[in-house]
Amino acid sequence: MGFLAWPLETNRIRRDVTNNTFGTVRRNADGTKRDHQGWDLVATPLTACYAIADGVIRKREDHDAKGHGKLVVLEFLFQGRTLFALYSHLSIASVARGTKVTQGEVIAYTGTSGNANGMTGEDQHLHFEIRNELEAGRGLSGRVDPQTLYGRAPREYAIVESHGQKRLLKSSGAGLKINAQDMRRW
Ligand SMILES: [Zn+2]
């Protein structure tokens, strides 16, 4: 596929902090850093999640396990590479394993399962990863920075994609400032 859709209609990094982007960005109590394997995108529970590309659902977990909780993994082809998009902390995975889906199709609804249990307000999110292996290892092994595919992390901005139109909204402390600028080139 030539372009990727965004996983949510409104996409913004949780609390606009680097901590919730990809890489060795989180701090332990002693100040050392640890890895975050994807992006945390702010989402009220039961927000629809969209297939970012045409592909096949390779994995679905419905049990509310530790860690990711409920999840789906979409396999897709992008720029000649087979990649996997993981959506986790879901409330509902609405597609079965093996289902072929088309870009923009609703495949799940966000939630607070796994180790997002108990999160409230602005901390509720979709954990979204891009992998180059279905069963990626520990740390950043088998992961791809989503920014390398999307061009930027939606931090201090929200990227809104609806019915094929993309917009960039400047984020202010109180929420989104409605001062939309056409960003169709993304
Ligand atoms: Zn996360």
Side-chain angles (χ1 to χ4, degrees):
M1 302 209 86
F3 72 97
L4 293 180
W6 286 76
L8 303 175
E9 186 169 311
T10 299
N11 302 270
R12 184 166 63 90
I13 296 291
R14 174 159 70 109
R15 296 195 178 276
D16 286 328
V17 294
T18 309
N19 200 31
N20 293 322
T21 58
F22 177 89
T24 309
V25 293
R26 293 193 164 173
R27 285 195 185 276
N28 297 312
D30 66 0
T32 56
K33 288 196 166 183
R34 62 189 163 88
D35 302 322
H36 185 230
Q37 297 161 324
W39 280 348
D40 285 355
L41 298 171
V42 184
T44 303
L46 296 174
T47 297
C49 301
Y50 302 95
I52 62 171
D54 293 351
V56 179
I57 302 301
R58 283 288 174 224
K59 194 170 179 180
R60 168 182 166 159
E61 295 282 356
D62 281 309
H63 61 276
D64 200 2
K66 284 184 180 169
H68 286 295
K70 297 179 188 180
L71 63 88
V72 291
V73 179
L74 168 70
E75 179 184 324
F76 63 100
L77 200 61
F78 184 64
Q79 295 174 343
R81 301 159 74 189
T82 297
L83 295 170
F84 302 87
L86 172 133
Y87 303 68
S88 71
H89 305 322
L90 303 174
S91 58
I92 301 167
S94 53
V95 280
R97 192 161 67 89
T99 306
K100 285 187 178 172
V101 299
T102 55
Q103 187 177 55
E105 189 175 334
V106 175
I107 58 173
Y109 294 89
T110 65
T112 54
S113 61
N115 59 16
N117 185 28
M119 285 186 170
T120 58
E122 280 278 289
D123 284 319
Q124 296 171 332
H125 66 279
L126 169 70
H127 176 87
F128 175 71
E129 284 182 20
I130 302 288
R131 299 176 167 186
N132 49 31
E133 299 164 29
L134 177 59
E135 302 294 345
R138 296 174 66 85
L140 300 180
S141 165
R143 272 82 176 185
V144 175
D145 184 348
Q147 183 167 336
T148 63
L149 305 184
Y150 285 101
R152 64 179 299 153
R155 193 168 74 80
E156 296 173 357
Y157 291 87
I159 291 174
V160 180
E161 182 170 41
S162 181
H163 304 290
Q165 295 192 31
K166 294 181 205 264
R167 288 179 187 279
L168 180 104
L169 302 180
K170 181 84 176 94
S171 174
S172 71
L176 295 175
K177 196 165 80 178
I178 304 303
N179 181 15
Q181 181 187 353
D182 247 343
M183 295 304 296
R184 284 197 185 87
R185 68 178 182 271
W186 293 343

